[in-house]
Amino acid sequence: MRRLQLLSALALINGVRWIVPRRLRARWIAEWRGELWYLWKARSSQTAATNDHAPSGVFSRSLSSIPHATALARQEWTPDMLVQDIWYAVRRLSGNPGFVLIAVLTIAIGVGANTAIFSVINSTLINPLPYPDANRIVYLWSLIPASDFMVTPGGEDVRAWREQMTSFEEMEVWATKHVTLTGEGEPVDLAAALASQRLFAFLGLQPSHGRGFSVEEARDDARVVVISDGFWRRRLGGIADVLGYQLLLSGEPHEIIGVLPRSYVAHAPFFDTEIFLPLTDDKIDEAESPVAVGRLKRGITAQAANAEFEALAAGSTADGEPDAATRVGHAMRPQEMVGDNFRTSLFTLQAAVGFVLLIACANVANLLLARGTAQQREMAVRAAMGAGRGRLLRQLLAENLLLAIAGGLLGYGLARLGVTVLIALRPESMQNLETIRVDPSMLWFALGVSVLTGIVFGLLPAMQGSRPDVLDQLKDATRSGTPSSRRVSVRNMFVVAEVALSIVLLVGAGLLLSSLGRLLTSDIGFDPHNVLAMSLDLPKDRYPEAAGRMEFRRQLEEGVALAAGDRIESMAVASYPPPRGGVWFSTFAPEGGDPTPSLEKVPIFTTWGSPGYIETLRISLVHGRDFVPGDEEDESNPVIVSAEWARRMWGDERVAGRRFSAQGRGAPTLFSVVGVIDDPRLTGPVERYNDLLVLQPQDTADAALSILVRAEENPLAFVETLKQQVWAIDPDVPIGDVALVEDLMAGTLAPQRFNAILVTLAAGVALSLALIGLYGVLSYSVGQRTREIGIRMALGAERSHIVPMVAWQGMRLVLIGVFVGIVSALALGRLIESLLYEVGAFDSLTYASVVAVFAFVSTLACLVPATRAARSDPMLALQSE
Amino acid sequence: MGPATLEVLQAIAGGRLYGFDIMDATELPGGTVYPALAALERDALVDSDWEDPEVARGEKRPPRRYYVITARGQGALRSEIERLHRLAGLADDSGIDGANTTSTPEMSPRKA
């Protein structure tokens, strides 16, 4: 114990000594050791006299050695020397353009991929909102008690929160509203947003032209609009007198009073919004899916706000306990709105590109080591002329850092390009990718990663290169440099690491592709092929009554049937084509019975279809019948349920004719089951609703319509026919989206496809880099062994012996790398299990395939240099140096 | 010459001192004292050497390094002190309150 202080102090000196310039180091160590020993002895005598336990202050005194060493080091490295080192590095690198190109490009690929994916993470998870004080902005939801489901809040909720909640500085609301733009070419259905009066100020959006809504305009529901810069330029041709221009929206003239700035980025949930109308408080209830946002007061967390929400909800019920009708407010930070699966995908991608970067760095490190071997003589001459090791090390590090920074800058450029391509190719359903931006802070990320890379992976080659064997190198004037066995081991170790990392990535890609394959071929319980879906939105101003909309639908069905004749197999009208629909939360109970617990507080998927819906989508009917004309007006509320829903309610599928009640926030409603269908997955193969589905008659109270037409031959040929039939009835009805249902269903797998493609791309790059690294190391080794191979062949070795001998040198590394890679993949597989569908993380077929593919390509990579070695002329080989 | 360097030089002026003793005498940290010593040595204002190895061996420890002021260092120290005196005199003449003036540093050599 007495000596611990001294030993610790001496250990510190030993560690710090490397900072001290070499010429001063010996004296510095001796001086500090002398002082510390003396102090320790002096203090030991004192404590012995006073019977204290241990002499104090020795270690604390030794801490002063750090600033001392640093001060000495700073004296050695003046700004002049830094400039010299950089200039020298530039001169040395310019003599080797091929090496520089390969090294910079390799680093750029690794850094670029990492910067691109980190930009995605930054834009979606870290800084998702490009608005002022964004860290205090939260989305406000209504939480279904005792479930994880949240719905958009109703108008009465928002009004109550505004009045009673103290956690928020302000709350603003917007809601989607579909309007029909006419008078500017073809009638167009536009997704507009109803915005509360202070919404623009809340988001820090100052119109570039004109202004936002006034209090009076919001209160009086004035006919004014604010448009986006994109709308102004694309639809109005960027006209100069845009303010005051009248737009005909849903038959009513609206005056343009403002244009949002170009910097306005369509952000969730504004994605397609180009037109904003004023939202009055009383319109919130009628509005479609209102979204509320709040800005928390300074110092208030989202958790504190949620606690206040819960207290408010508890106070609203008689017994303080929330029931099925209670909605509890919930503040959610934008980062939390990213689904767990998307979050896992992002982190998986970041890990994948991280592996690519490590492999790229290992390749560059190997290149540097090889280059260092070739330049040993030059280093020896410089050392003999007086260059200290520190100076040589600094100069080599300067070279590596220059390469790394060049690679980082190029990588940043590649990242910007990559993100642009990513956004352009993003699936329609992944709208959150639209907000990705590579902002200037990502340049610092790219440079930071590349500098770290340069230091970590350049340090070892630099340390080896700065310690040349001066005597040996100078003795033999013809010697070009032979790698030490330690240097060869390091290079082999890098190759093994690259192989292992590639294997992990390939296994990950294989599992994701396998999972995607299962998803694409899974049985979704209906046939989406050859079905065309065309969406319409009947303007409410011209079709205010259900009867009018019903008449339109009837005329449309008649017109299409007449025009298309036998060319279509079947048709139906729905509120939405699959996979869209609604979510139904209620307390369900059989007529006269108790509520069914397994159907309570779980989301039920619901959609609306006319007679022919089941036939058009080829859904199997298990019991009962399809809808018939008149069901939509039948007061017994006929519905068709899925077999799973029926089993949960009654323990049986054959339940046509039975009745049940559903109670939401109002009085219970009775429904009659007229049919049971065989659990179609209308939302797609990735299970979200546990096959719980209730199909209701197409509700003419809803102005949204989709025509579904099944035709075995080219359904898209009917698009014009359908349009003509719509406009024959009413030329001002806008046509919305037109798509094949199979494409819409394929869109539900867009995230999985996207993920699998990106990870496969990363795995492909990793595999290529690893093979290049393997080939490079083996080629270099063959080059070094040319003389040895020549001797062997001169002594009678057949070429057929040389090939396996050389190839085995590479395959040995591959085998070790594959083993390490497989073990690592088994350990890490669990992390991506949530992304897999019907494929386990330890799928043996995937592992076997990966090993087989890697073994095949790596054998080729090894055979090329081996074959080249076997073809060399023994005489020339013997003469080589 | 900075104040810390001056203080270190003045501490050594009293006689030869070892590094840690200078730290104790000036109450300055090692990160200040040792760079000051390096600068003084570089400018030939102080000299340094190892103590008698027999002494160290007898006490079963490595030898220490001591510092002594050179003649040139003495001259530099005198010049600095004179300069500070002049500065203090100027401050008096300008009527600055005596309580706010920097008093001349203690000139007596500190015991090693």
Side-chain angles (χ1 to χ4, degrees), chain A residues 209-214 217 224-226 242-244 255-259:
Chain A
H209 296 72
R211 58 177 176 83
F213 305 125
S214 65
E217 284 163 345
V224 292
V225 288
V226 172
V242 60
L243 298 179
E255 181 188 344
I256 297 177
I257 59 166
V259 180

Side-chain angles (χ1 to χ4, degrees), chain A residues 287-303:
Chain A
E288 189 182 317
S289 305
V291 176
V293 282
R295 181 173 277 116
L296 293 164
K297 287 180 179 166
R298 288 188 193 278
I300 305 288
T301 60
Q303 288 84 350

Side-chain angles (χ1 to χ4, degrees), chain A residues 27 30-39 41 43 61-62 64 67-68 71-72 75, chain B residues 18-20 23-24 30-31 34-35 41-42 48 50 59-65 67:
Chain A
R27 176 184 148 176
E31 188 165 355
W32 273 94
R33 285 171 56 88
E35 292 299 317
L36 288 170
W37 266 99
Y38 180 83
L39 181 67
K41 278 196 168 285
R43 296 272 169 95
R61 206 36 97 87
S62 71
S64 293
H68 183 200
L72 293 175
Q75 290 169 10
Chain B
Y18 297 95
F20 276 18
M23 286 167 65
D24 291 335
Y34 278 100
E41 207 171 344
R42 191 181 59 232
S48 67
W50 297 104
E59 294 178 13
K60 294 190 179 135
R61 56 170 177 79
R64 302 169 75 189
R65 196 160 181 96
Y67 294 83

Side-chain angles (χ1 to χ4, degrees), chain A residues 432-454:
Chain A
N432 46 2
L433 292 186
E434 196 172 296
T435 63
I436 299 168
R437 54 197 186 278
V438 183
D439 57 37
S441 63
M442 289 297 104
L443 175 60
W444 296 115
F445 175 82
L447 286 176
V449 167
S450 54
V451 166
L452 196 64
T453 300

Side-chain angles (χ1 to χ4, degrees), chain B residues 23-103:
Chain B
M23 286 167 65
D24 291 335
T26 59
E27 294 179 358
L28 291 170
T32 306
V33 166
Y34 278 100
L37 286 171
L40 289 168
E41 207 171 344
R42 191 181 59 232
D43 295 338
L45 302 181
V46 304
D47 215 349
S48 67
D49 202 351
W50 297 104
E51 70 174 331
D52 185 352
E54 290 300 324
V55 170
R57 202 173 298 127
E59 294 178 13
K60 294 190 179 135
R61 56 170 177 79
R64 302 169 75 189
R65 196 160 181 96
Y66 64 85
Y67 294 83
V68 290
I69 194 167
T70 60
R72 188 171 169 185
Q74 303 247 10
L77 181 63
R78 261 195 309 276
S79 300
E80 277 298 306
I81 292 170
E82 280 168 16
R83 186 179 71 81
L84 286 170
H85 274 304
R86 278 198 304 277
L87 206 62
L90 280 172
D92 282 341
D93 290 345
S94 67
I96 294 171
D97 183 50
N100 289 333
T101 55
T102 306
S103 58

